[in-house]
Amino acid sequence: MANLLATEPSAYLKSAAHQPVHWLPWGDAAFTRAREEKKPILLDIGAVWCHWCHVMDGESYENPEVAEILNRDFVCIKVDRDERPDVDARYQRAVQALSGQGGWPLTAFLTPDGEVFFGGTYFPPDNNSYGRPGFHRVLMEIARAYREERDRVVTNARAIRAHVVQTLNEAKPGAVSADLVSGAADQMARLFDVRYGGFGSAPKFPHPAAIEFLLACWHDGKGGLAWQREIVDKTLTGMARGGIRDHLGGGFHRYAVDERWIVPHFEKMSYDNSELLRAYLSAYQALGTPLFKDVATGIVDWVLDVMADKDSAAFATSQDADLTFGDDGDYWTWTLGEATAQLTAREAAVAASVFEIQETGEMHHNAKKNVLWWKQDPASDDEWPVLRSAMKKLKAARDRRNAPFVDRTAYVNWNAMMAGAFLQAGAVLDRPECNALALKVLQRIWSEAWDVGSGMSHVLGRSEPRGMLDDNVQSAAAFLDAYEATGESRHGALARTARSPPRRRCRQRPRPGVVRIDAAACGGLGSAPGHTDRSRRAAR
Amino acid sequence: MHPVTRIEVAGPPGEGPACAMHLLALQTYRPRKVVVRKIAERPAATVCIGTSCSLPVTTPEQLATLLEA
């Protein structure tokens, strides 16, 4: 029998409808039930593109024994983080404060008032060798603690909440100073990996905003600080050569598991790619590096090919890593045999040398599978056309494979971000079709998402949720881009209008007991059901 | 802390020097850049950095020189 997720619009929630866990969607009904039944809440926040969410679904939430414990001792809520970034932001902070790590799947245990008392990310079904406790044991222990030591659990949850509100609120009042800016740049420099580019070590995320920030710092210093340019150059080049870039289809996967950018987690996100598109375009504008233009062109081509719905004027959200549970990105990778079967002997030799395609590849689940990453340039000028022909054939062969799921939910914030990046691309790459599509998307956002009383909705074509900061701010920013690109004053007016309602809403006091979907609009820390005042004040 | 760069391009709509200067303004990298396109009879572009503005120029080549400075 399907649980209550079957009628949810989210593809991720729908995919859990067959699970034996009696999932409830986020909402008052779930919290009311927890209060009435005096049970703790298990909150699972995931996403359709999230590999380890699917792993945990398969290992634990589809297991009848686990479901029995959950259904007996907990009220279970499943949330799609793309649909509810406000709920996600709030609980990520709390779990991070508790366990030192965040991410997805987010597994949080709450009191019926919505306060976190324990949490983590992925839990294996049984205790594993990395020292992570097994989910089964965790559930038994938490159910016991809640039954036998409820007062202590509730007190702890309040203390955690106070800690999160007081110390983890990143927004602080005060003017921006030169020291603040140079301090931020210095911190980025300390995290910079001089060998492979990027920040920190494995796993490596792109951080395009840091790149744009350092590029601006370098430019403001009139080219004075060479290290700022070096970070920009090396990071953008490292990512462009790595397997984190989809060399055949264009665009970037979400992150690399290694410090050399070679083996990615293969899901491709709209918001990462729109920010990366801007970073590569800006760096090309500032530095003139041809590779950066190629990379930007690849992102645009991928978006037009896979993510854009030109008729309805919308950009999709994400493309999954895997076709089936546990294939670990087989769609994107190649055995030597798969590659050579598509190519002439010369093409195969050149492609194998450039992309390091060998009998043994980089993937753990299947040692024969190679990630395409740019190990070295073709050996001579006459090899370049051979390589281009090989890449075209490999792309055509990949296009004949069954492709991973594309989530076509049209989120307003991410559509606006991509529209803005496309307006920059239209000018810098001189591709008017990018402008045309971006303006159509923005027109749709204006006519379908905007409401004068409550701001932007979060999803095109759905009236709720609405009024979140990101949707309004990203739309306003994209309307400004449209104003610059077209000179039409109505776009400037739309930008001014779109950014005003959340400010008005933030001054309102939320009604107690109501989960305010615009909580994140007011500074990042959302309000718990029934507990709103303190966080709201702190968030201002 | 650092000034805004405001590039204003005026001129007739459609192809021509104003359109080319508008595209050049959009293609130029400047942190805190604002591009304003206005419709006027004759093409003219000005670049203001903070509160000091250039004299108007009328061709993309002249604008490029201004933006390189």
Side-chain angles (χ1 to χ4, degrees):
Chain A
M1 195 190 82
N3 55 45
L4 289 175
L5 299 183
T7 53
E8 288 292 305
S10 148
Y12 174 65
L13 296 184
K14 266 201 183 82
S15 76
H18 68 282
Q19 290 172 0
V21 177
H22 298 160
W23 292 113
L24 296 174
W26 176 267
D28 282 347
F31 289 93
T32 304
R33 183 188 285 189
R35 272 185 215 111
E36 285 172 1
E37 298 182 6
K38 299 188 170 52
K39 286 179 183 173
I41 292 165
L42 164 73
L43 174 65
D44 171 45
I45 305 181
V48 69
W49 43 264
C50 161
H51 174 77
W52 286 100
C53 300
H54 295 305
V55 173
M56 196 158 160
D57 277 334
E59 289 174 345
S60 290
Y61 296 131
E62 288 175 16
N63 178 334
E65 281 176 41
V66 172
E68 197 188 321
I69 303 171
L70 283 170
N71 295 338
R72 188 186 62 220
D73 295 334
F74 296 84
V75 170
C76 302
I77 305 177
K78 207 173 182 69
V79 167
D80 179 339
R81 66 88 40 204
D82 291 346
E83 263 195 347
R84 296 304 299 260
D86 54 336
V87 174
D88 182 57
R90 169 181 150 74
Y91 288 106
Q92 288 286 350
R93 280 175 185 228
V95 170
Q96 199 140 25
L98 251 174
S99 70
Q101 55 173 329
W104 304 280
L106 190 81
T107 311
F109 294 91
L110 325 177
T111 66
D113 286 336
E115 314 238 6
V116 180
F117 63 90
F118 186 76
T121 53
Y122 162 78
F123 287 94
D126 305 302
N127 296 350
N128 76 5
S129 52
Y130 301 110
R132 287 187 191 228
F135 196 49
H136 190 272
R137 206 187 87 193
V138 167
L139 292 180
M140 299 296 283
E141 176 54 26
I142 285 180
R144 186 205 61 75
Y146 195 79
R147 218 171 27 241
E148 296 172 11
E149 306 168 55
R150 189 169 310 161
D151 288 348
R152 190 176 63 86
V153 166
V154 169
T155 311
N156 280 354
R158 288 196 186 127
I160 291 162
R161 174 180 180 70
H163 171 71
V164 170
V165 167
Q166 280 158 17
T167 61
L168 293 186
N169 191 2
E170 288 147 7
K172 294 211 166 52
V176 177
S177 66
D179 283 350
L180 191 70
V181 172
S182 65
D186 288 347
Q187 254 181 37
M188 290 172 193
R190 276 196 290 280
L191 287 169
F192 175 57
D193 178 348
V194 291
R195 284 170 304 172
Y196 305 114
F199 303 96
S201 56
K204 249 187 196 159
F205 287 82
H207 298 301
I211 294 300
E212 291 234 50
F213 174 78
L214 289 168
L215 184 66
C217 288
W218 173 77
H219 196 278
D220 284 336
K222 307 246 183 280
L225 292 171
W227 61 266
Q228 293 173 336
R229 179 174 175 162
E230 189 194 338
I231 295 177
V232 172
D233 260 335
K234 214 162 196 169
T235 301
L236 293 180
T237 304
M239 290 192 296
R241 299 175 72 100
I244 190 175
R245 176 178 168 207
D246 179 356
H247 290 268
L248 299 181
F252 284 87
H253 304 291
R254 205 157 69 87
Y255 68 95
V257 300
D258 59 292
E259 61 192 353
R260 298 171 67 192
W261 304 105
I262 290 177
V263 179
H265 259 208
F266 287 95
E267 62 271 15
K268 293 165 92 175
M269 311 301 299
S270 162
Y271 60 86
D272 285 333
N273 278 281
S274 59
E275 290 196 291
L276 282 161
L277 176 55
R278 279 191 178 281
Y280 276 95
L281 287 168
S282 297
Y284 172 64
Q285 286 172 276
L287 310 172
T289 313
L291 174 65
F292 300 163
K293 184 184 182 189
D294 289 348
V295 173
T297 302
I299 298 174
V300 167
D301 289 343
W302 167 69
V303 171
L304 290 173
D305 191 27
V306 176
M307 302 293 274
D309 181 338
K310 293 171 200 114
D311 294 331
S312 75
F315 296 111
T317 296
S318 60
Q319 184 170 24
D320 282 5
D322 311 325
L323 193 62
T324 55
F325 168 64
D327 72 29
D328 228 351
D330 282 349
Y331 170 81
W332 314 93
T333 55
W334 301 82
T335 66
L336 183 60
E338 284 169 349
T340 52
Q342 307 299 329
L343 307 173
T344 66
R346 181 142 193 254
E347 286 167 347
V350 173
S353 148
V354 171
F355 291 119
E356 175 127 304
I357 310 172
Q358 297 181 334
E359 281 292 351
T360 305
E362 296 86 2
M363 298 303 296
H364 286 303
H365 77 299
N366 176 355
K368 289 187 168 176
K369 278 283 197 177
N370 289 264
V371 180
L372 299 191
W373 62 281
W374 196 277
K375 190 186 182 203
Q376 56 193 349
D377 287 353
S380 61
D381 283 352
D382 60 330
E383 282 190 0
W384 279 95
V386 181
L387 178 71
R388 277 193 279 272
S389 162
M391 289 171 71
K392 223 168 158 180
K393 287 180 183 175
L394 290 175
K395 167 76 163 58
R398 197 179 80 176
D399 286 346
R400 289 192 292 274
R401 296 175 177 175
N402 287 330
F405 176 75
V406 174
D407 183 355
R408 300 216 166 268
T409 313
Y411 292 105
V412 168
N413 51 348
W414 297 338
N415 266 265
M417 285 168 73
M418 189 59 84
F422 256 49
L423 289 167
Q424 190 179 350
V428 175
L429 305 176
D430 202 4
R431 288 178 67 166
E433 79 267 30
C434 292
N435 288 54
L437 178 58
L439 293 173
K440 252 174 99 174
V441 169
L442 289 176
Q443 179 56 45
R444 198 173 158 211
I445 288 177
W446 182 251
S447 57
E448 286 185 33
W450 174 253
D451 176 80
V452 70
S454 53
M456 291 286 172
S457 64
H458 185 46
V459 183
L460 283 170
R462 280 190 226 158
S463 58
E464 292 288 335
R466 64 166 59 245
M468 285 193 249
L469 182 64
D470 208 34
D471 298 310
N472 286 273
V473 168
Q474 298 294 357
S475 299
F479 286 129
L480 270 185
D481 292 327
Y483 174 60
E484 291 194 301
T486 63
E488 290 173 25
S489 53
R490 72 189 176 98
H491 287 126
L494 296 186
R496 276 194 295 278
T497 313
R499 64 161 208 183
S500 51
R503 292 208 317 221
R504 280 207 305 274
R505 290 185 66 125
C506 286
R507 292 194 204 106
Q508 298 171 356
R509 281 172 69 98
R511 283 169 293 155
V514 175
V515 181
R516 288 296 296 261
I517 55 98
D518 62 344
C522 304
L525 189 67
S527 54
H531 289 259
T532 45
D533 295 347
R534 279 177 59 197
S535 72
R536 189 53 53 96
R537 274 201 299 277
R540 275 193 215 125
Chain B
M1 283 181 295
H2 293 285
V4 168
T5 299
R6 185 178 193 277
I7 310 172
E8 183 172 319
V9 180
E15 299 284 314
C19 177
M21 288 193 289
H22 182 207
L23 183 63
L24 177 65
L26 292 170
Q27 289 175 337
T28 300
Y29 180 78
R30 285 283 174 113
R32 302 167 303 283
K33 179 185 73 174
V34 179
V35 176
V36 181
R37 175 76 164 93
K38 293 205 164 148
I39 301 302
E41 249 176 67
R42 291 187 187 171
T46 51
V47 178
C48 303
I49 296 170
T51 50
S52 60
C53 299
S54 71
L55 285 171
V57 295
T58 53
T59 67
E61 293 75 21
Q62 291 168 330
L63 179 61
T65 311
L66 264 187
L67 289 170
E68 275 162 23

